[in-house]
Amino acid sequence: MILIGPPGAGKGTQAAFLVDTFRIPHISSGDMLRAAVKEGSALGKQADDYMKKGALVPDDLVIAMIIERIGKPDAQSGFMLDGFPRTRPQAQALDAALTNAGVGLDVVLLIEVPDELILERITGRRSDPQTGAIYHVKFNPAPPDVAPRLVQRKDDTAEAVGARLAKYHSETTPIIPFYQQRGVLRRVDGVGTPAEVTARITSALADKS
Ligand code: AP5
């Protein structure tokens, strides 16, 4: 399964529900890159500048990271990709890797949210460094015992959001027809409460079977 959508669409929020339901690993390219930056690895050092500006990390780095990850034992019965692929070369590399491994793609979920709602969602996002849980200062406030330890991502600034949205439209939306032609694309309206979006995803997945 692949989750696609603009920055702040709710991919990470909905992924928490999906991995619980399907018992598959959540493979988020953004989370993996942030972990690499935190640990100061060679990949993290190369990725940091791109991420802070809201630019995309070069394809060769991200492709190698994800292809290696989906080859791990816990991904052999299925996995959910979140944030990858987001360029044509990434989609082609994934396609080739899945074909080589004899793995079929069940569904590509596209969570659609208009640009004008994205800024408020992203600048209000906070996350719990202990559990990885995602909150929002207005739409999903953290419990009082968790709130003091919440952190904000370096790329969740108004300036970086503009760059991230521009990249989404120029690089990622062109890969959507590729999945539509294969009959695996499911579009879900991401406007509404997280629970409403979850309900739409549930029915979009049921439609597939
Ligand atoms: P990544 O981490 O993938 O970020 P993103 O795609 O920009 O997506 P986000 O994590 O910002 O948003 P989300 O859709 O998960 O929303 P969330 O659920 O948190 O990538 C970060 C960077 O890494 C990139 O810019 C790039 O530099 C690099 N990178 C990553 N992958 C790459 C790749 N493949 N190639 C190259 N570079 C790559 O929700 C957002 C907020 O809204 C939260 O506060 C949440 O509580 C709230 N919220 C969620 N749902 C709702 C709702 N229904 N109503 C109201 N609020 C809601």
Side-chain angles (χ1 to χ4, degrees), residues 7-27:
K11 301 182 295 294
T13 300
Q14 299 300 330
F17 145 77
L18 288 164
V19 294
D20 227 34
T21 304
F22 293 104
R23 308 247 160 234
I24 49 175
H26 173 206
I27 301 179

Side-chain angles (χ1 to χ4, degrees), residues 7-8 10-13 29 34 55 83 86 90 125 135 153 164 192:
K11 301 182 295 294
T13 300
S29 49
R34 279 184 289 280
R86 62 216 273 167
Q90 291 179 21
R125 171 172 42 201
Y135 296 98
R153 271 169 46 178
R164 287 161 62 192

Side-chain angles (χ1 to χ4, degrees), residues 13-187:
T13 300
Q14 299 300 330
F17 145 77
L18 288 164
V19 294
D20 227 34
T21 304
F22 293 104
R23 308 247 160 234
I24 49 175
H26 173 206
I27 301 179
S28 157
S29 49
D31 286 351
M32 290 177 75
L33 289 167
R34 279 184 289 280
V37 170
K38 201 169 163 196
E39 76 193 21
S41 68
L43 168 64
K45 285 184 184 134
Q46 292 178 81
D48 195 27
D49 268 353
Y50 295 99
M51 295 175 77
K52 275 193 279 206
K53 287 188 283 201
L56 291 179
V57 175
D59 284 331
D60 54 340
L61 298 178
V62 185
I63 289 169
M65 176 184 82
I66 293 292
I67 300 299
E68 192 211 344
R69 177 64 187 88
I70 63 179
K72 297 226 159 128
D74 69 332
Q76 299 318 298
S77 306
F79 50 83
M80 188 181 59
L81 290 172
D82 165 3
F84 181 96
R86 62 216 273 167
T87 65
R88 259 188 241 271
Q90 291 179 21
Q92 285 159 354
L94 177 67
D95 196 44
L98 294 180
T99 304
N100 275 343
V103 173
L105 191 55
D106 288 329
V107 62
V108 177
L109 267 180
L110 170 61
I111 304 181
E112 299 182 295
V113 175
D115 286 6
E116 54 272 23
L117 297 186
I118 295 294
L119 182 65
E120 189 180 18
R121 282 199 188 184
I122 288 195
T123 51
R125 171 172 42 201
R126 302 290 184 273
S127 53
D128 181 348
Q130 278 181 27
T131 63
I134 303 166
Y135 296 98
H136 191 282
V137 291
K138 179 170 162 191
F139 303 126
N140 181 22
D145 57 321
V146 172
R149 65 171 185 253
L150 294 183
V151 294
Q152 187 170 20
R153 271 169 46 178
K154 282 189 276 191
D155 60 343
D156 278 353
T157 60
E159 303 73 52
V161 171
R164 287 161 62 192
L165 268 174
K167 281 290 172 200
Y168 175 73
H169 290 299
S170 65
E171 304 289 331
T172 307
T173 57
I175 69 174
I176 293 168
F178 175 76
Y179 294 116
Q180 188 153 24
Q181 280 153 17
R182 296 182 163 210
V184 288
L185 187 76
R186 297 289 176 274
R187 291 176 187 269

